[in-house]
Amino acid sequence: MLQKEVDPKVAAILTVVALAAVQAVYYKNLVVQTPGAGGGGGAGGAPMVPRQTIVGRQDVLVSDFVGEAPGMLDGPRWQARLSGPNALASMPDGGLLIADSRNHRIRRMSPGGALSTFAGSGDVDSVGGKSDGPVDQARFKFPSGVCVSPDGTVYISDTGNHRVCAVSGGQVRTLVGSGQPGKTDGSGPAATFNSPGTMVWQGGSVWVADLGNRVFRRVTPTGAVTTPTPPAEVKLTAGQPWPPANGEAISAYEEGRGELTVSTHFTGRLSSGAHIGGLWVWADAQHHTLLGRLGTGPIVLLSGHRDTFPAKASHSDGDGPRASYAAPSAVAARADGTVFVADFEGNRIRKVELPRWMIEGDTAPPIRSSRFGRDFRGR
């Protein structure tokens, strides 16, 4: 067959067009449009900003502790299963209580990680139920809050049933709530909630984030409900069940090392907070990261990564820059510096090990790279 010769001018034009297309794709992956910016005007569209990623610190380590695939199984931590853990409460013996929402139960994790069922029953594949009684017969509907008072009473936000329960002496009883959504102060069944969620014990009462009503409610041990303005400490401990307009600016370290700088990223939907030493820790469920604050300093990205593109849930262990979460919804801390995170979509409890300087409230030592390719710390 005779082959046609290609005109050199045509070949040159095709080459230029191909290179332009490659460059356009490359450029598109390096920049993003400013969210909410409108097109129009002589520029012909929204302004473009450089893509920016920030990551956690390299001296923060994250690993799986309990759970893997979703399920309902008690036992040692390498076998136990959870489904949608979304609230944690520390116990005096170093164990944890877990609101295992999709299983409609409250689970107990021993200090070594073994899981057992603390309260709740019924079919795990159902939409839950509603009943008081012995802990192994009581039923809940997507519980999403739990706390422990100094006398050992356990309080539960039974979110789907719009009530708060109390557990003592092996018995579950409805403390407040009629079972129907509402916003009424009062006592016992006369008080109403709309999807109670995160709760903390403080000042002799339980403070509950009433999610559907977007307020904090105070519940006394006798079942009296009021809606006062919560003190700053309660707001800090309970986190922000709903975010303010732009959250708060996050500070981070370039590639997890070096000096702290303020980023263009903002906090999202923060979980309840855990206090350890001079450090406050939250999970940002909206952006799948773990955040911390020393004293009144800036909010710092501890582990996970934030990008200018929409956040995606994922799962990986490792140090701060490499670790990732899937909708982390709660945190709890031990005195030894270990933090546990309820990874809701990951159906896991994650273990986070913090450096000693952070727990003691000291100044962060910068992490720099040596010429041999290893990281070393400033101290």
Side-chain angles (χ1 to χ4, degrees), residues 186-208:
S187 296
T192 56
F193 289 80
N194 187 354
S195 301
T198 300
M199 54 170 43
V200 294
W201 175 270
Q202 186 163 313
S205 296
V206 181
W207 289 83
V208 183

Side-chain angles (χ1 to χ4, degrees), residues 311-337:
K312 291 184 179 180
S314 62
H315 169 263
S316 60
D317 291 341
D319 60 14
R322 296 175 179 83
S324 61
Y325 302 90
S329 299
V331 293
R334 285 181 181 168
D336 64 0

Side-chain angles (χ1 to χ4, degrees), residues 128-375:
K130 179 177 179 289
S131 63
D132 292 345
V135 290
D136 60 351
Q137 298 177 26
R139 299 189 67 185
F140 306 104
K141 184 176 183 179
F142 302 110
S144 63
V146 61
C147 71
V148 184
S149 71
D151 68 2
T153 301
V154 174
Y155 296 90
I156 300 167
S157 286
D158 190 7
T159 308
N161 288 316
H162 311 289
R163 62 174 181 160
V164 173
C165 298
V167 186
S168 60
Q171 298 286 320
V172 176
R173 61 185 175 89
T174 300
L175 181 63
V176 292
S178 65
Q180 298 298 319
K183 185 189 174 185
T184 307
D185 289 345
S187 296
T192 56
F193 289 80
N194 187 354
S195 301
T198 300
M199 54 170 43
V200 294
W201 175 270
Q202 186 163 313
S205 296
V206 181
W207 289 83
V208 183
D210 193 355
L211 301 177
N213 291 315
R214 301 173 67 86
V215 293
F216 286 97
R217 315 284 294 280
R218 181 167 59 193
V219 182
T220 69
T222 58
V225 178
T226 54
T227 311
T229 300
E233 294 82 2
V234 168
K235 292 180 180 179
L236 183 63
T237 305
Q240 300 174 22
W242 47 91
N246 290 314
E248 187 170 346
I250 300 173
S251 297
Y253 299 81
E254 184 178 356
E255 296 182 355
R257 56 167 78 90
E259 301 298 330
L260 187 69
T261 58
V262 177
S263 78
T264 59
H265 301 78
F266 293 88
T267 60
R269 184 179 182 275
L270 299 185
S271 73
S272 57
H275 188 227
I276 177 168
L279 178 72
W280 284 99
V281 184
W282 302 273
D284 187 335
Q286 184 178 347
H287 297 111
H288 316 294
T289 54
L290 188 68
L291 306 173
R293 167 181 271 164
L294 277 172
T296 58
I299 290 184
V300 177
L301 179 60
L302 299 179
S303 56
H305 53 84
R306 283 285 306 275
D307 205 310
T308 45
F309 287 125
K312 291 184 179 180
S314 62
H315 169 263
S316 60
D317 291 341
D319 60 14
R322 296 175 179 83
S324 61
Y325 302 90
S329 299
V331 293
R334 285 181 181 168
D336 64 0
T338 302
V339 172
F340 293 100
V341 179
D343 208 6
F344 180 76
E345 293 293 349
N347 304 295
R348 295 167 166 88
I349 301 299
R350 313 288 294 282
K351 178 182 178 181
V352 181
E353 298 173 78
L354 301 174
R356 179 52 54 182
W357 68 264
M358 193 176 292
I359 300 167
E360 294 174 351
D362 206 346
T363 303
I367 306 176
R368 304 181 179 91
S369 294
S370 74
R371 13 178 227 177
F372 301 106
R374 294 186 178 179
D375 295 329

Side-chain angles (χ1 to χ4, degrees), residues 25-84:
V25 172
Y26 181 69
Y27 178 74
K28 184 177 181 181
N29 287 330
L30 288 180
V31 298
V32 295
Q33 291 187 349
T34 303
M48 308 298 283
V49 297
R51 176 174 179 172
Q52 184 192 37
T53 300
I54 57 174
V55 297
R57 281 189 62 92
Q58 288 188 325
D59 51 3
V60 175
L61 301 177
V62 181
S63 59
D64 286 345
F65 195 68
V66 176
E68 189 176 335
M72 170 61 205
L73 183 64
D74 289 338
R77 67 186 186 91
W78 56 87
Q79 295 179 354
R81 295 289 183 267
L82 298 152
S83 185

